[in-house]
């Protein structure tokens, strides 16, 4: 997952574990501790999208949270845990 800050937005691309698709991410900080990202498939014909809410650790080297979205592979809504380390 590659994220970068552009003005007041966080944007990036990458993959999530267990997802065989390139995803585009966009979002921003809710406050100084929480980051909200929406994601969708880069492929226009693949109906995959969702939202991730992450909290920055006290040391500032981890983002932990949860995602909820739609999986075209499972043809249902999915949710789970996300952990990113610097």
């Amino acid at each position: 997952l590659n994220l970068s800050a552009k003005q007041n937005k966080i944007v990036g691309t990458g993959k999530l574990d267990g997802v065989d698709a390139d995803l585009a991410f966009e979002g921003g900080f809710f406050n100084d501790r929480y980051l909200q990202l929406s994601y969708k498939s880069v492929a226009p014909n693949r109906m995959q999208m969702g939202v991730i809410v992450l909290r920055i650790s006290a040391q500032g080297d981890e983002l932990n949270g949860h995602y909820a979205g739609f999986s075209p592979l499972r043809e249902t809504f999915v949710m789970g845990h996300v952990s990113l380390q610097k």
Side-chain angles (χ1 to χ4, degrees):
L1 183 62
N2 296 310
L3 297 174
S4 62
K6 296 196 181 216
Q7 296 177 350
N8 292 335
K9 284 186 179 180
I10 305 295
V11 296
T13 58
K15 293 185 177 198
L16 296 175
D17 286 345
V19 177
D20 188 26
D22 292 322
L23 302 172
F25 297 85
E26 183 176 317
F29 284 94
F30 179 76
N31 60 27
D32 62 339
R33 296 281 315 266
Y34 290 92
L35 173 62
Q36 178 181 333
L37 298 170
S38 61
Y39 66 88
K40 65 180 179 177
S41 174
V42 173
N45 60 342
R46 184 179 176 104
M47 192 173 73
Q48 183 159 13
M49 74 289 203
V51 176
I52 302 172
V53 177
L54 300 162
R55 183 176 64 186
I56 300 173
S57 68
Q59 289 104 358
D61 60 350
E62 284 186 90
L63 293 166
N64 293 294
H66 292 86
Y67 70 90
F70 181 80
S71 169
L73 181 63
R74 298 181 188 149
E75 296 185 6
T76 190
F77 294 102
V78 294
M79 61 182 174
H81 183 263
V82 176
S83 181
L84 304 173
Q85 296 180 348
K86 189 174 183 180

